């Protein structure tokens, strides 16, 4: 099998476990002949990545520590427009390490919005109700974690470190792509990164 190492940069502890799960699922579809090596994601605060020299420092650490073929950055958009903020961050990453393939994706508004975009596929998972309706606008809620908590039937709150990876393993990728433009971009960027790196 062709080996490929992708370094990742995330902001939340939950994404440290969840992002590799989603990447392996996409890789199994797009490049099944590839052996994907995913070093532990590098955590950096959103604010530190946005400030001058921030994303450059994180990309440098990831690129040099793991001898990666490509670098993927995934952060929450929060109240920023992904189409406005993302390209500038990508340009900075590329200028910092032009020898690597890069992708920068901002989840609109947060990583959990991608779960909302495929909510019907998560019925019964991690204490969620058996039947979940698709929100009319999955990327509009500001508190996706609260949405998930309100639909649990086990009396527990949604906790990224406990629940995010399990949901990442089960949500329907195609449904999420159809209802979340930012997840569709993520999927396409990952596919490009997997096929052009190495």
């Amino acid at each position: 099998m062709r080996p490929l190492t992708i370094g990742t940069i995330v902001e939340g502890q939950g994404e440290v476990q969840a992002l590799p799960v989603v990447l392996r699922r996409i890789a199994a579809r797009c490049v099944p002949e590839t052996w994907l090596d995913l070093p532990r994601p590098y955590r950096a605060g959103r604010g530190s990545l946005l400030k001058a020299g921030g994303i450059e420092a994180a990309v440098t650490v990831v690129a040099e520590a793991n001898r990666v073929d490509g670098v993927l950055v995934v952060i929450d958009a929060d109240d920023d427009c992904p189409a406005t903020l993302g390209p500038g961050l990508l340009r900075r990453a590329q200028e910092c390490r032009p020898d690597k393939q890069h992708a920068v994706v901002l989840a609109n508004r947060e990583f959990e919005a991608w779960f909302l975009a495929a909510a019907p596929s998560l019925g019964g998972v991690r204490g969620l109700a058996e039947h979940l309706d698709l929100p009319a606008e999955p990327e509009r809620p500001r508190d996706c974690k609260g949405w998930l908590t309100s639909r649990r039937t086990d009396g527990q709150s949604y906790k990224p470190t406990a629940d995010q990876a399990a949901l990442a393993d089960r949500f329907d990728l195609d449904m999420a792509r159809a209802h979340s433009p930012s997840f569709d971009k993520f999927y396409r960027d990952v596919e490009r990164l997997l096929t052009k790196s190495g």
Side-chain angles (χ1 to χ4, degrees):
M1 298 182 78
R2 179 176 71 99
L4 180 65
T5 302
I6 300 295
T8 54
I9 299 170
V10 300
E11 60 175 313
Q13 186 62 47
E15 283 91 44
V16 171
Q17 286 85 35
L19 183 59
V21 173
V22 181
L23 291 180
R24 292 190 189 285
R25 292 182 64 194
I26 296 174
R29 286 179 163 201
C30 301
V31 287
E33 72 287 353
T34 298
W35 180 75
L36 185 60
D37 179 26
L38 295 172
R40 182 177 175 82
Y42 177 84
R43 279 190 69 201
R46 185 179 187 276
S48 68
L49 289 173
L50 298 185
K51 71 180 183 181
I55 193 170
E56 293 85 353
V59 166
T60 298
V61 169
V62 170
E64 294 181 356
N66 303 300
R67 296 186 179 183
V68 300
D69 301 297
V71 179
L72 170 67
V73 181
V74 178
I75 61 174
D76 292 347
D78 291 339
D79 294 323
D80 289 312
C81 173
T84 300
L85 185 59
L89 291 173
L90 176 60
R91 183 176 59 255
R92 288 168 56 188
Q94 291 170 329
E95 290 172 354
C96 171
R97 289 302 300 258
D99 58 319
K100 307 294 181 185
Q101 292 288 326
H102 297 275
V104 175
V105 180
L106 277 70
N108 191 20
R109 300 182 178 258
E110 49 192 291
F111 192 99
E112 284 82 3
W114 296 347
F115 298 151
L116 271 60
S121 67
L122 292 173
V125 179
R126 299 299 295 175
L128 290 167
E130 289 294 331
H131 177 77
L132 294 173
D133 291 323
L134 182 72
E137 297 180 271
E139 294 185 328
R140 184 166 294 279
R142 184 65 183 86
D143 183 18
C144 296
K145 296 174 180 65
W147 190 96
L148 291 166
T149 292
S150 71
R151 281 147 181 88
R152 289 185 70 144
T153 59
D154 60 0
Q156 302 295 312
S157 296
Y158 169 82
K159 294 182 176 62
T161 53
D163 302 314
Q164 198 167 346
L167 298 183
D169 188 49
R170 295 286 297 278
F171 79 116
D172 187 297
L173 301 178
D174 295 320
M175 189 183 301
R177 292 187 72 183
H179 299 285
S180 167
S182 69
F183 182 74
D184 183 59
K185 179 188 185 301
F186 168 81
Y187 191 103
R188 288 182 284 109
D189 280 3
V190 168
E191 187 173 22
R192 177 187 55 78
L193 198 60
L194 293 174
T195 54
K196 292 191 175 181
S197 298

